[in-house]
Amino acid sequence: MASSRDCIQQISSTNGSRCVIRNNLLPLDETQLNLLPFPIGCEVSLDFRYTKGCQTCICGKVVGAFLNLPSNEVLFEVYLNDGSTCWYNINQLAYAPNTQIYYSPSSFTQRDEMTGTIILAETNSCSSKLCYSIMLSSDECSERIRILERIPLDQIKCKRCSY
């Protein structure tokens, strides 16, 4: 039996806080899911907070994606480590550490993709924009790695074959 938390959830968005009612959610089909940055099975970090100079977050896994009909907003259903599920919009999610990614310095406008791994997602304390620290391995020599910091989301795509 579904709990009331599964049927109605208060979420915050760019337009303020509002309720999400499961009956108003239309599941996305496989073609639509392939266009999203957070595929089913993707590990995510969310609810970033600063406490005493430290940033904390919670982790979960994307288990569904839906169109919220009243707002025309895509919402991701995330299974949290405490066993509950909640809905989050795209701006509330980040790739979790160890997520396999493609990185493109040109934001995928050129054929310059490199494979890498997310090390850390964090918000910039000045602008509160999300950015990533990533690890890239060299194609010529697997013993060489590079660490890049403050990488914006538009330069990263999830490597979907890892799920």
Side-chain angles (χ1 to χ4, degrees):
M1 179 173 178
S3 70
S4 61
R5 181 170 173 85
D6 293 332
C7 298
I8 299 176
Q9 178 192 328
Q10 188 81 14
I11 67 165
S12 60
S13 71
T14 54
N15 299 332
S17 185
R18 67 189 191 307
C19 288
V20 174
I21 301 169
R22 186 175 277 281
N23 290 344
N24 291 337
L25 299 177
L26 177 66
L28 300 181
D29 66 31
E30 189 172 333
T31 303
Q32 295 163 327
L33 290 170
N34 287 333
L35 299 173
L36 298 175
F38 302 104
I40 303 299
C42 181
E43 298 282 338
V44 291
S45 300
L46 48 112
D47 197 20
F48 291 89
R49 296 177 190 215
Y50 281 99
T51 309
K52 298 180 183 176
C54 290
Q55 180 174 275
T56 61
C57 65
I58 57 176
C59 295
K61 181 185 282 192
V62 174
V63 294
F66 302 83
L67 176 64
N68 186 13
L69 296 173
S71 68
N72 281 332
E73 178 180 39
V74 173
L75 296 178
F76 295 88
E77 185 174 18
V78 177
Y79 179 78
L80 301 174
N81 291 343
D82 68 3
S84 65
T85 60
C86 293
W87 293 291
Y88 296 92
N89 68 37
I90 195 167
N91 298 319
Q92 295 172 300
L93 298 178
Y95 295 119
N98 296 318
T99 299
Q100 299 298 305
I101 51 104
Y102 293 108
Y103 163 70
S104 170
S106 70
S107 299
F108 300 94
T109 60
Q110 301 173 10
R111 293 187 167 258
D112 58 356
E113 294 97 10
M114 296 171 258
T115 59
T117 304
I118 297 291
I119 297 172
L120 176 69
E122 61 186 337
T123 54
N124 180 323
S125 57
C126 297
S127 68
S128 66
K129 283 205 164 223
L130 188 67
C131 58
Y132 294 89
S133 295
I134 63 173
M135 178 176 58
L136 301 174
S137 56
S138 172
D139 289 337
E140 316 79 59
C141 177
S142 61
E143 295 177 11
R144 296 199 56 153
I145 61 169
R146 287 190 307 165
I147 306 295
L148 302 177
E149 297 177 320
R150 293 184 282 288
I151 305 299
L153 179 60
D154 66 349
Q155 293 180 350
I156 296 173
K157 286 186 182 177
C158 185
K159 194 172 176 183
R160 296 180 194 281
C161 64
S162 62
Y163 303 107

